[in-house]
Amino acid sequence: MKALAALVLLAALTGCGSSVAASPPGPPATAPSATAPSATAPSATAPSASATEWKIDPSFNSDDLAWIELMIPMDDQLLRVLGMAEKQAADPAVRAFATAVANGHRTEVEQFKATRTRSGLPVRNPHEGHDMPGMMTEPEIVALGKTSGPAFDQLFVTNLKEHLDESILLAENITKIGKDAATKKLAASIISSRAAQLKELAAL
């Protein structure tokens, strides 16, 4: 079961066309050992130039680190979409729901950033420009921004459901294969909050 969960998480992370190098890679592109205090990775601004070094807290494993680096851009991107819904949704209930979800996601992003700092990961987005499950592409976001009325509501609800579903899947994997206790607790909290949001979304 643990191996299956790991494969599901791996598939989600590599769905954007990159490798599991979402966790800090060390030459040659290997994830840090859970017991290793540090790892060496390419500079975010010059990946082929000289390497920079950071210390990784050994309480985190590579799955924790990959999840953190995936969820921050996922939540940041959804906040853009939620902002559109707060202004453009035709149904007042959809606008109100978007505001409620946005408030929760802003808090969640801060939790992830604090966890990233504690883990020793650098501030970077290894998934920038990637097409990943649970995330709209930039052209899709632009198209959504040009949509109005009930068509906007339908498209927004569809994409929000995909985000919530994918977030639950990833969080469930972390509760099984993650290592850091606080990170696993955050994952459990996300499973609970996303499940409640899915119920509210279905009732709209």
Side-chain angles (χ1 to χ4, degrees):
M1 182 64 71
K2 179 177 179 180
L4 177 60
L7 285 173
V8 172
L9 179 60
L10 176 62
L13 294 176
T14 56
C16 59
S18 67
S19 70
V20 151
S23 55
T30 56
S33 166
T35 58
S38 64
T40 302
S43 166
T45 55
S48 61
S50 60
T52 185
E53 185 177 280
W54 59 82
K55 291 185 181 296
I56 299 299
D57 188 317
S59 67
F60 292 81
N61 66 14
S62 59
D63 298 294
D64 295 326
L65 302 174
W67 184 59
I68 293 165
E69 287 201 315
L70 177 61
M71 287 303 299
I72 292 174
M74 278 187 71
D75 280 1
D76 277 340
Q77 190 226 52
L78 186 70
L79 283 169
R80 291 176 58 196
V81 176
L82 291 168
M84 290 181 187
E86 289 180 274
K87 299 176 182 177
Q88 295 175 232
D91 187 340
V94 173
R95 292 198 300 271
F97 183 64
T99 297
V101 175
N103 289 337
H105 272 58
R106 276 189 284 270
T107 299
E108 187 176 293
V109 167
E110 293 308 310
Q111 290 176 301
F112 273 114
K113 288 181 178 179
T115 304
R116 178 179 62 188
T117 298
R118 183 168 60 83
S119 75
L121 280 169
V123 177
R124 64 175 188 167
N125 179 7
H127 298 289
E128 186 171 4
H130 296 167
D131 184 4
M132 299 183 292
M135 290 181 68
M136 298 178 70
T137 63
E138 191 61 30
E140 288 173 337
I141 293 177
V142 171
L144 180 65
K146 296 178 180 178
T147 307
S148 59
F152 176 94
D153 292 10
Q154 182 177 3
L155 188 56
F156 165 72
V157 167
T158 297
N159 283 282
L160 178 56
K161 184 178 184 303
E162 289 177 0
H163 170 90
L164 297 175
D165 284 338
E166 187 67 21
S167 296
I168 289 175
L169 174 64
L170 293 170
E172 286 175 340
N173 283 314
I174 291 302
T175 63
K176 299 171 185 175
I177 63 177
K179 181 184 178 186
D180 179 66
T183 300
K184 294 176 73 171
K185 184 177 180 180
L186 176 58
S189 173
I190 286 174
I191 293 170
S192 177
S193 64
R194 295 288 198 276
Q197 289 166 352
L198 281 170
K199 289 182 179 179
E200 292 182 56
L201 188 63
L204 289 178

